[in-house]
Amino acid sequence: MTLNFAIIGGGLTGTSMLYCLIHKANKAVRRGSMHPSQLKVQVFEKQAEFGPGLPHSDTQVMPYHITNMCAEEMSIDQIKPLDFKNWVTHNRDVLRKNLPHHFESFDSPGVIGRQCTHYPRAIMGAYLKARFKKAIQTATKIGLQIDLFPNSEVIDVREGSGNVHLIVQDSESGTIQSFISDRILLATGHWFGQTETDRFFPSPWPAKSLLHNIPPGEHVAVIGSSLSAIEVALTLTSDGNFIRNQSSSLTYVPSTKPRKLTLYSRKGLLPKVRGKIGEHRNTILTPENLKRLIAKNKGRLHLDGVFSLLDAELQKVYGRPIDWVDILKPSDTARNYLARCLREAQDGDGPEGELLWLTVLHQIIDLARDIYINLTPQERRRFERHYSTVFFSHAATQPTVNAEKLLALIDGGYVEVIRLGETYRLIKDDTSGEYSFVYKNQQGEKKKDTYRYVVNARGQDKSLKSNSSMLAVNLIKSGTVYIDQIPDGVKQEALRKSLPMDPDGASDQYKTGSVWIDTETHQIMKVSSDGSAIRSDYIYAVGAMTRGQIIDASMANGSVRSTAAIARIVIDYLTGREETTA
């Protein structure tokens, strides 16, 4: 049994796939259940560099951009959750030499912590490069063949008879080549819309582009108020300085011509601030209780069942009823809400200075994916419309140091947060090139705010249709992947077990916008000649293009969990340990 496995994308997800696959292959070779010649791996990356990908490359980020997730939760080695943090500890001198400017922020208050460490993004990029290199070294040592193709953009993928055909374009010369693989992983990572004008920026990256193209002194509109929006604020105010005053609070000292920013979002809700996790062990909202609830209601889970466990656990730990109205729709201004969250994170709301809600949620956060997957379509839709923002504001918290900086910027009058509500419009004036936000404020008054420069910081779009790359366009056009709607001629009854659908109407499919996959194996789903829904034998998908189906698809630990599952399937197939589709 042999297999030629191609990884399309050499960023975090692709690196995680390679590292995990080689690690499992190495173990299989050492125990004698597999020969190195059975597996060949190809990695295609459109950039020149393998490893960091867009969010962690030192060409994209600045030293003050730190990881929002804790280093303790960003290892790409599923067996060693502290691998990233330990690697940094063992390589401090090398990092200090190679990334001196990024290394300076290591000792900033709120960055290095006992429980939660937020390293500069470029340090994570260096770790990914090192782990990619380690995987290559391990493969070479055991005699396993790996072929690397930098500056190579895969522009089309077609399933053949027992294999997959890849069309690859050289990013520099434009030369086209074709390759054949037995199995492939689509791991192309994040994408953003195309730039409409030189005043509209579809993403915060590269950060230098914002600094170079938005003049000092401008008032800039930022779409979004989540973690990406905060990073935009840090970028566009980086010509000033933050100093700590006598009361230990940060104060912003602006440049001679400071930029000002207004962050616009539907709810105007800022992320919560990461605090200390305590010793409390859940007795109601436990992984065991949630697993039983999922098993009992597999595919037909309701939010109310999960919420009742959460509410009961929080009431027990706080000793009082929970004010859910304040959680879902805080009455505070954005400034006061941020100050409250920061104070709670620094001081805690528990007896040992811990954050009780964080302590409760942290114990079950790994089950968020399973909960989401097993919700009914109506409940997924309900979650996305009403609770998604609140969930991610608690699950994807901001580091203390970033919260301190943002509060200083707000207090200094350099950042403002506006709640747009649900019925707003963004209008472009083609004559002037200006952009206007039309909305009603909380008093019901109609407002119109106009700007010359706008940055879109809403994060990754769920719909693959928004990806303008040739690969995404060709995948959809050829029908290699399915998104949004059920293909013509498919037997509806055959789909009910594999595709989220409303029981009250076969045609009312829940529209995720992402690639349709089997959420356990990550094989893309397709339709057989008789109209049945089946898994592809050849193509897997992980990462941003599956966000509509997997809630943590864009998080580091989510990608690691997914690639580990695929690696296990592949190695089991090669060793004959299980009759599993590779």
Side-chain angles (χ1 to χ4, degrees):
M1 194 78 69
T2 61
L3 194 72
N4 186 355
F5 194 92
I7 302 172
I8 302 176
L12 186 150
T13 300
T15 299
S16 174
M17 182 73 250
L18 179 68
Y19 187 82
C20 191
L21 186 59
I22 298 306
H23 174 76
K24 291 184 181 298
N26 183 35
K27 290 179 65 176
V29 169
R30 290 172 62 185
R31 67 172 177 257
S33 58
M34 172 184 158
H35 192 273
S37 63
Q38 287 182 260
L39 177 64
K40 295 181 181 179
V41 182
Q42 300 167 312
V43 187
F44 298 89
E45 167 56 44
K46 64 180 179 180
Q47 305 297 333
E49 188 174 53
F50 293 95
L54 183 147
H56 305 108
S57 170
D58 57 3
T59 64
Q60 299 282 333
V61 301
M62 307 296 281
Y64 43 81
H65 292 133
I66 61 177
T67 58
N68 292 303
M69 292 178 62
C70 301
E72 293 80 357
E73 301 166 358
M74 294 190 72
S75 165
I76 64 165
D77 190 328
Q78 197 177 40
I79 301 173
K80 300 176 181 177
L82 295 179
D83 187 57
F84 175 34
K85 187 172 184 179
N86 291 338
W87 178 86
V88 173
T89 300
H90 295 149
N91 290 277
R92 288 179 71 91
D93 292 339
V94 175
L95 291 168
R96 188 190 300 274
K97 178 181 178 181
N98 294 341
L99 294 166
H101 298 298
H102 295 270
F103 196 86
E104 288 174 2
S105 64
F106 264 30
D107 298 321
S108 299
V111 175
I112 302 301
R114 186 167 58 86
Q115 284 191 322
C116 182
T117 310
H118 300 280
Y119 291 129
R121 284 179 176 268
I123 301 300
M124 178 65 178
Y127 163 74
L128 291 170
K129 284 191 283 186
R131 286 295 172 255
F132 191 96
K133 183 178 180 180
K134 182 178 179 180
I136 301 297
Q137 291 172 338
T138 301
T140 301
K141 185 177 180 180
I142 64 175
L144 191 151
Q145 181 179 335
I146 298 182
D147 296 319
L148 303 180
F149 299 91
N151 297 310
S152 299
E153 180 177 6
V154 178
I155 60 175
D156 200 4
V157 166
R158 296 291 178 94
E159 289 185 271
S161 179
N163 52 35
V164 187
H165 294 257
L166 283 68
I167 306 301
V168 183
Q169 184 175 45
D170 187 283
S171 302
E172 296 179 332
S173 67
T175 304
I176 303 291
Q177 288 183 280
S178 61
F179 296 84
I180 296 179
S181 295
D182 298 311
R183 308 288 185 267
I184 71 165
L185 169 66
L186 298 170
T188 51
H190 297 273
W191 70 87
F192 300 101
Q194 294 182 323
T195 303
E196 298 177 7
T197 70
D198 57 2
R199 294 183 186 177
F200 185 94
F201 300 85
S203 87
W205 316 112
K208 289 180 180 178
S209 176
L210 302 186
L211 287 173
H212 291 164
N213 293 294
I214 300 178
E218 282 288 340
H219 193 169
V220 183
V222 180
I223 308 175
S225 61
S226 62
L227 298 172
S228 295
I230 295 171
E231 289 174 319
V232 172
L234 296 179
T235 297
L236 292 178
T237 59
S238 61
D239 51 355
N241 293 291
F242 293 94
I243 61 171
R244 200 165 290 279
N245 57 31
Q246 293 181 342
S247 63
S248 294
S249 298
L250 281 187
T251 302
Y252 180 65
V253 180
S255 65
T256 54
K257 293 185 66 177
R259 301 177 184 88
K260 293 185 177 182
L261 300 92
T262 300
L263 278 52
Y264 290 91
S265 69
R266 290 181 304 154
K267 296 183 182 296
L269 191 63
L270 293 167
K272 299 284 280 187
V273 184
R274 178 80 181 214
K276 177 184 175 182
I277 295 174
E279 300 299 323
H280 166 79
R281 296 294 92 188
N282 294 356
T283 58
I284 303 171
L285 186 71
T286 63
E288 294 74 23
N289 284 344
L290 284 171
K291 287 176 182 177
R292 279 194 289 268
L293 186 65
I294 292 169
K296 182 180 178 181
N297 300 278
K298 196 171 184 64
R300 287 289 176 263
L301 188 62
H302 287 260
L303 288 171
D304 292 344
V306 180
F307 175 80
S308 64
L309 296 178
L310 172 62
D311 183 55
E313 187 70 53
L314 290 175
Q315 286 202 48
K316 179 180 179 181
V317 75
Y318 280 105
R320 56 174 170 79
I322 304 303
D323 187 354
W324 288 104
V325 174
D326 182 63
I327 292 173
L328 296 172
K329 192 176 180 180
S331 56
D332 278 343
T333 63
R335 186 268 172 208
N336 290 343
Y337 177 79
L338 176 62
R340 173 161 51 113
C341 292
L342 180 58
R343 185 171 59 253
E344 289 176 352
Q346 292 172 326
D347 301 337
D349 58 8
E352 302 297 326
E354 75 275 35
L355 271 180
L356 294 175
W357 65 262
L358 183 62
T359 302
V360 167
L361 288 181
H362 193 263
Q363 295 172 57
I364 56 91
I365 199 67
D366 286 345
L367 283 172
R369 172 188 295 199
D370 299 314
I371 292 170
Y372 185 78
I373 288 171
N374 283 284
L375 290 173
T376 69
Q378 301 99 315
E379 290 292 273
R380 286 200 202 183
R381 190 180 294 115
R382 178 184 170 204
F383 173 82
E384 294 293 345
R385 289 176 178 173
H386 303 295
Y387 306 115
S388 176
T389 300
V390 174
F391 169 79
F392 281 107
S393 74
H394 287 75
T397 53
Q398 59 177 312
T400 302
V401 65
N402 282 3
E404 285 188 291
K405 289 179 177 179
L406 182 60
L407 184 59
L409 290 170
I410 292 175
D411 284 345
Y414 302 100
V415 170
E416 182 182 15
V417 181
I418 298 291
R419 180 180 178 274
L420 290 171
E422 299 296 330
T423 57
Y424 72 91
R425 290 182 298 154
L426 176 58
I427 303 171
K428 178 188 173 186
D429 187 323
D430 291 326
T431 302
S432 65
E434 295 178 330
Y435 295 83
S436 295
F437 291 82
V438 180
Y439 62 100
K440 288 184 179 180
N441 63 17
Q442 291 183 284
Q443 290 72 43
E445 301 168 330
K446 188 174 181 179
K447 302 286 289 183
K448 181 179 180 181
D449 304 337
T450 301
Y451 299 88
R452 283 167 22 100
Y453 292 88
V454 178
V455 181
N456 186 354
R458 285 179 294 190
Q460 182 62 66
D461 194 310
K462 288 183 181 179
S463 177
L464 188 65
K465 289 181 179 178
S466 66
N467 187 339
S468 61
S469 72
M470 290 185 67
L471 177 59
V473 171
N474 286 330
L475 285 172
I476 296 171
K477 183 179 179 180
S478 65
T480 302
V481 300
Y482 292 124
I483 63 172
D484 278 352
Q485 64 182 28
I486 302 168
D488 292 337
V490 180
K491 294 179 179 178
Q492 304 301 321
E493 63 274 12
L495 283 173
R496 287 187 181 278
K497 294 182 179 180
S498 58
L499 190 68
M501 297 186 58
D502 285 333
D504 58 351
S507 62
D508 187 17
Q509 178 198 353
Y510 174 60
K511 296 182 179 181
T512 68
S514 65
V515 174
W516 177 24
I517 62 168
D518 180 307
T519 51
E520 292 184 5
T521 67
H522 292 272
Q523 290 162 289
I524 65 168
M525 297 296 295
K526 63 178 187 175
V527 181
S528 67
S529 57
D530 68 352
S532 301
I534 60 173
R535 296 179 300 184
S536 167
D537 289 331
Y538 316 119
I539 304 177
Y540 299 85
V542 171
M545 64 175 62
T546 66
R547 263 195 83 222
Q549 293 175 268
I550 298 180
I551 198 167
D552 59 349
S554 294
M555 295 182 179
N557 49 7
S559 290
V560 172
R561 177 177 172 180
S562 298
T563 53
I566 298 171
R568 183 176 61 252
I569 291 171
V570 170
I571 299 304
D572 284 351
Y573 171 77
L574 290 174
T575 58
R577 295 178 65 188
E578 294 181 6
E579 291 187 8
T580 310
T581 301

